Amino acid sequence: MAAHRVSPSLNRLLFAVKYASFQSGGCAVHCNAQYSTVHSPSEKTFDKILIANRGEIACRVMKTCHKMGIQTVAVHSDVDSSAVHVKMADEAVCVGPAPTSKSYLNMDAIMDAIRATGAQAVSIYMALVTLCDCGRRHAIHSVYLIHMFIKTRVGYRTLAFVLLLGYPVMIKASAGGGGKGMRIAWNAEETREGFRFSSQEAASSFGDDRLLIEKFIDNPRHIEIQVLADKHGNALWLNERECSIQRRNQKVVEEAPSTFLDPVTRRAMGEQAVQLAKAVQYSSAGTVEFLVDSKKNFYFLEMNTRLQVEHPITECITGLDLVEQMIRVAKGYQLQHKQEDIPINGWAIESRVYAEDPYKSFGLPSIGRLSKYQEPLNLSNVRVDSGIQEGSDISIYYDPMISKLVTYGATRAEALARMEDALDNYVIRGVTHNIPLLREIITHPRFISGDISTNFLPEVYPDGFKGHQLDLDTRRELLASAAALYITAQLRSQKVLGDLSPVECSRWELYVQLEDGSHSVEVTKSGNVEVDGGKVEVSGQWNLASPLLPLTINGTHRTLQCLSRDASGRILLQYLGTSFKVRVLSKLAAEFNSYMPEKVPEDTSSILRSPMPGTVVAVSVKPGDPVAEGQEICVIEAMKMQNSLTAVKQAKVKSVHCKPGETVGEGDLLVELE
């Protein structure tokens, strides 16, 4: 990871724009583990705030605004006209077509919306604030904005410094975040490629293609400190968040507090974070990010002058509503708390739920419509921050985040157990999602013991994520559950259609096909199941109309999900977070099935298919061109991330089926080789 050693003098830090701050993120809060509020109705803040964000970020700000009696204005693109954040707002203004550069990052349209609605404050992306601050401050009047130049100035900008720094280096967008516009380079060729992709992603995502080059520190922890400061010289640190579980430099699972920090290190990091905020006269909620090595030395990474995606876990352990505090500070009020008032109460964990395929590079984007969506809010101490609902579309234009799933407990073990239950009870249909990966992470022995770093995923899954790996006991549980579900469905069909059998059956001999082969299963009506000679007891609520199947298997509670089933016995079951394809056959059907010819798998070495839905940015070959193994063939952009697709063998290009600017779907044929 890229980093800068913290200097006591903080000489590398630059001043911040002194205007009052309201730069925020987050999302709609549905929360059993609620934060407290100290807002006084007599404390006047703003009448109306325009929120120049979309999705869960906008929803999160609106929830606190409504609680404080503040009217909200949503802006939206034409494809977001029915989005949840638009429905939540008191007013809504369309600011352009779907691409962010033409809508949510369209400064002129945002400024027109501010003037037209008479908003007194604005929650806005940092890049847009930069544009406003550099030429349109006179047009904003009393709109409250913030911009800190740390991210655009700390680090090295020119390629000439790479040799001085030494490899590896981190190339990243100066206005970036969320892993977009970020690449690690280990040699000169990767540096050139990194510049190309990072600058294009940065321009597409943030409207700013400027880049930084920084020294990359291998195998650290990523720990950040939440700060809160006002315009009267007061600043607090609100403890830390452990953010080391990442893929492609984007956080996946976060927790607060960290298992790694002792009180002395925590205080040292917190005090230096506050020193930083005071040195630049910062006023608002912000996050100071550090890299921490195995000896608890910590290095300054960057400061994010906004509310981070992972802010809910800080709210859970401190009881503060950070959006409310930001609004108060923006209006000019002093902080209500002293440092000694800030507690660590319990433990909170956040899982970022994405519309992504975790089996492809730990998560390539998925698109589609949420045909079924049910958040696990039936469980206690669960909070779901989301900006979507059943029927919402996950499109190629925006970040594929579905929600931030947060669980809370008096101890870390309680929070982890609740997260496991929440992931099992989370119903998402219509898009591929990353719940299988999230569940495997939080149940992995290394994560449970706290033995983590930013290299956790590639170290634990060096060959890529493969889903939950079944052992003998869990395989029997899965097969027994599938067989019991099959028999339940059969009995229900007989009851609906009429039982044609003259004798009631109380025992069934079945064969259940799994990837590892066919298994003999015997089911009795009393719920006893025998799998390959081993006994399994299965009981529960067999409500086939419900997406959830709460079962007790050998005395252990399990929540399964039946994702699909058909008349041929094919069942797709979500078990321990992972989807498993099984096929349940009667003894006679299994015998007939053995005579069916097997489907020959496609030769994927001679074709290149799109691994995700997106837009073709570049095609580097034409028919007849020779290509070497590993040579770039084309580039696909999805959710503002550019992905280079390469040849898996030395060959000649037979045909090209795509061109720059075209939209492609997952699995579409792009190039054929011969």
Side-chain angles (χ1 to χ4, degrees):
M1 296 290 293
H4 302 279
R5 184 71 171 112
V6 173
S7 167
S9 64
L10 299 172
N11 286 333
R12 280 179 286 191
L13 301 178
L14 305 170
F15 70 92
V17 174
K18 62 184 179 182
Y19 281 75
S21 61
F22 185 59
Q23 160 84 15
S24 182
C27 62
V29 182
H30 310 288
C31 181
N32 299 31
Q34 274 286 13
Y35 43 68
S36 63
T37 176
V38 292
H39 174 66
S40 171
S42 62
E43 192 177 68
K44 180 67 175 176
T45 56
F46 301 100
D47 296 322
K48 184 184 293 187
I49 292 177
L50 183 141
I51 300 164
N53 305 105
R54 68 174 301 277
E56 50 92 19
I57 296 173
C59 294
R60 169 65 187 92
V61 179
M62 288 178 192
K63 185 172 181 69
T64 291
C65 287
H66 293 163
K67 179 185 68 177
M68 297 176 69
I70 300 170
Q71 288 191 315
T72 57
V73 180
V75 297
H76 63 90
S77 66
D78 52 10
V79 298
D80 269 348
S81 59
S82 298
V84 173
H85 77 279
V86 176
K87 296 176 181 177
M88 282 186 67
D90 297 296
E91 300 177 54
V93 179
C94 183
V95 289
T100 53
S101 60
K102 298 179 180 180
S103 52
Y104 295 102
L105 294 180
N106 182 345
M107 181 191 64
D108 291 332
I110 299 294
M111 292 303 304
D112 288 343
I114 293 171
R115 285 189 289 264
T117 58
Q120 297 167 309
V122 57
S123 169
I124 201 164
Y125 280 108
M126 192 182 305
L128 182 58
V129 174
T130 304
L131 293 172
C132 292
D133 188 64
C134 290
R136 293 183 175 267
R137 189 180 300 163
H138 63 281
I140 299 176
H141 302 297
S142 61
V143 173
Y144 287 79
L145 300 172
I146 178 93
H147 180 55
M148 181 178 251
F149 288 98
I150 290 175
K151 289 188 73 172
T152 61
R153 294 292 297 273
V154 177
Y156 301 101
R157 293 189 182 183
T158 63
L159 188 56
F161 278 102
V162 173
L163 295 178
L164 295 176
L165 286 172
Y167 290 107
V169 294
M170 172 73 81
I171 303 166
K172 65 181 185 179
S174 65
K180 295 180 177 67
M182 191 176 292
R183 293 289 192 282
I184 300 167
W186 295 81
N187 53 51
E189 182 180 350
E190 290 183 1
T191 301
R192 286 190 290 270
E193 274 197 359
F195 260 76
R196 176 164 69 103
F197 288 127
S198 292
S199 62
Q200 291 172 355
E201 287 178 5
S204 176
S205 297
F206 313 112
D208 184 347
D209 64 356
R210 291 177 297 170
L211 302 176
L212 308 177
I213 303 178
E214 300 172 339
K215 181 63 180 175
F216 177 76
I217 298 175
D218 200 16
N219 209 39
R221 285 176 178 260
H222 186 143
I223 300 177
E224 61 192 27
I225 299 291
Q226 177 71 58
V227 296
L228 181 64
D230 63 24
K231 294 185 285 184
H232 303 275
N234 304 305
L236 304 171
W237 50 275
L238 309 182
N239 302 309
E240 80 279 5
R241 296 186 288 257
E242 172 72 73
C243 307
S244 297
I245 306 298
Q246 302 180 6
R247 57 101 175 87
R248 297 195 301 277
N249 305 301
Q250 188 176 43
K251 301 160 190 172
V252 179
V253 175
E254 302 100 342
E255 60 181 310
S258 169
T259 60
F260 189 63
L261 295 191
D262 54 68
V264 174
T265 308
R266 176 179 295 116
R267 176 172 291 276
M269 293 176 69
E271 289 177 347
Q272 291 206 29
V274 165
Q275 186 183 0
L276 184 158
K278 288 184 175 181
V280 298
Q281 301 175 36
Y282 185 71
S283 60
S284 190
T287 298
V288 182
E289 303 196 11
F290 297 95
L291 299 179
V292 185
D293 66 21
S294 60
K295 297 181 179 179
K296 297 184 181 177
N297 298 311
F298 52 93
Y299 304 83
F300 174 73
L301 178 62
E302 65 184 21
M303 182 170 184
N304 281 302
T305 56
R306 55 184 168 85
L307 200 59
Q308 294 285 83
V309 169
E310 57 273 19
H311 78 274
I313 55 178
T314 295
E315 293 183 327
C316 284
I317 66 168
T318 63
L320 297 177
D321 181 338
L322 295 182
V323 176
E324 178 183 329
Q325 297 304 313
M326 296 172 78
I327 295 173
R328 292 187 69 260
V329 168
K331 187 61 177 177
Y333 292 108
Q334 293 191 46
L335 298 182
Q336 299 168 306
H337 304 86
K338 303 295 183 184
Q339 189 61 57
E340 57 267 24
D341 300 330
I342 305 303
I344 299 180
N345 288 331
W347 214 284
I349 298 171
E350 175 180 287
S351 294
R352 299 192 185 191
V353 181
Y354 280 98
E356 291 181 338
D357 186 345
Y359 301 96
K360 297 177 180 178
S361 302
F362 299 112
L364 292 183
S366 170
I367 63 171
R369 177 166 293 174
L370 293 169
S371 56
K372 184 74 176 177
Y373 183 73
Q374 183 176 306
E375 297 172 346
L377 298 175
N378 57 306
L379 305 176
S380 62
N381 293 331
V382 172
R383 166 176 169 172
V384 184
D385 285 18
S386 62
I388 49 86
Q389 60 187 4
E390 189 166 297
S392 293
D393 288 314
I394 307 295
S395 76
I396 64 173
Y397 298 107
Y398 309 116
D399 188 88
M401 178 181 282
I402 293 174
S403 74
K404 299 178 297 190
L405 177 63
V406 180
T407 58
Y408 173 81
T411 64
R412 186 171 187 260
E414 283 185 21
L416 281 173
R418 181 55 77 206
M419 179 61 74
E420 190 175 339
D421 288 343
L423 290 168
D424 285 342
N425 282 269
Y426 206 147
V427 178
I428 303 172
R429 305 281 193 274
V431 296
T432 305
H433 54 76
N434 67 334
I435 283 180
L437 175 62
L438 295 173
R439 197 184 190 283
E440 286 299 296
I441 290 171
I442 61 114
T443 58
H444 195 279
R446 271 189 58 179
F447 184 85
I448 293 172
S449 68
D451 178 19
I452 61 176
S453 73
T454 55
N455 286 334
F456 177 87
L457 288 179
E459 287 174 358
V460 172
Y461 308 107
D463 300 320
F465 179 67
K466 307 296 183 183
H468 184 80
Q469 301 302 297
L470 298 170
D471 58 21
L472 178 62
D473 290 337
T474 54
R475 181 181 293 104
R476 282 178 173 171
E477 284 190 12
L478 172 63
L479 295 170
S481 301
L485 174 63
Y486 173 82
I487 293 301
T488 300
Q490 292 291 104
L491 292 175
R492 190 183 73 164
S493 296
Q494 290 178 6
K495 191 174 295 185
V496 172
L497 300 176
D499 190 356
L500 302 179
S501 174
V503 181
E504 183 177 355
C505 187
S506 60
R507 177 176 167 274
W508 296 266
E509 290 185 53
L510 305 171
Y511 285 88
V512 183
Q513 296 174 347
L514 195 60
E515 283 187 355
D516 62 347
S518 183
H519 301 264
S520 173
V521 180
E522 187 174 295
V523 182
T524 66
K525 202 168 186 179
S526 62
N528 293 317
V529 184
E530 191 173 291
V531 180
D532 294 334
K535 292 186 177 179
V536 182
E537 187 173 335
V538 182
S539 61
Q541 302 174 21
W542 295 98
N543 181 1
L544 301 184
S546 170
L548 299 174
L549 294 174
L551 305 178
T552 300
I553 308 175
N554 286 340
T556 301
H557 175 73
R558 303 282 195 199
T559 300
L560 282 69
Q561 296 187 34
C562 180
L563 306 181
S564 66
R565 58 187 177 87
D566 62 24
S568 68
R570 288 185 174 87
I571 302 174
L572 184 62
L573 272 181
Q574 183 174 305
Y575 168 70
L576 301 179
T578 296
S579 298
F580 292 94
K581 294 179 180 179
V582 299
R583 190 178 186 190
V584 184
L585 299 171
S586 66
K587 188 175 181 179
L588 181 61
E591 183 180 345
F592 288 154
N593 190 66
S594 64
Y595 297 106
M596 298 293 290
E598 292 187 9
K599 183 179 179 181
V600 179
E602 186 178 47
D603 179 14
T604 57
S605 66
S606 297
I607 58 174
L608 181 67
R609 294 187 181 277
S610 179
M612 76 213 85
T615 303
V616 179
V617 175
V619 179
S620 306
V621 298
K622 61 182 184 299
D625 284 354
V627 293
E629 182 180 351
Q631 180 179 331
E632 180 179 291
I633 292 180
C634 63
V635 177
I636 303 294
E637 181 181 280
M639 276 76 170
K640 307 305 177 185
M641 297 289 285
Q642 296 200 359
N643 303 271
S644 176
L645 306 184
T646 60
V648 298
K649 67 177 183 180
Q650 183 175 343
K652 181 186 289 187
V653 177
K654 179 180 179 181
S655 58
V656 177
H657 299 274
C658 62
K659 59 184 178 182
E662 282 187 344
T663 299
V664 295
E666 180 179 355
D668 284 1
L669 181 62
L670 303 176
V671 175
E672 291 183 273
L673 304 176
E674 60 182 4

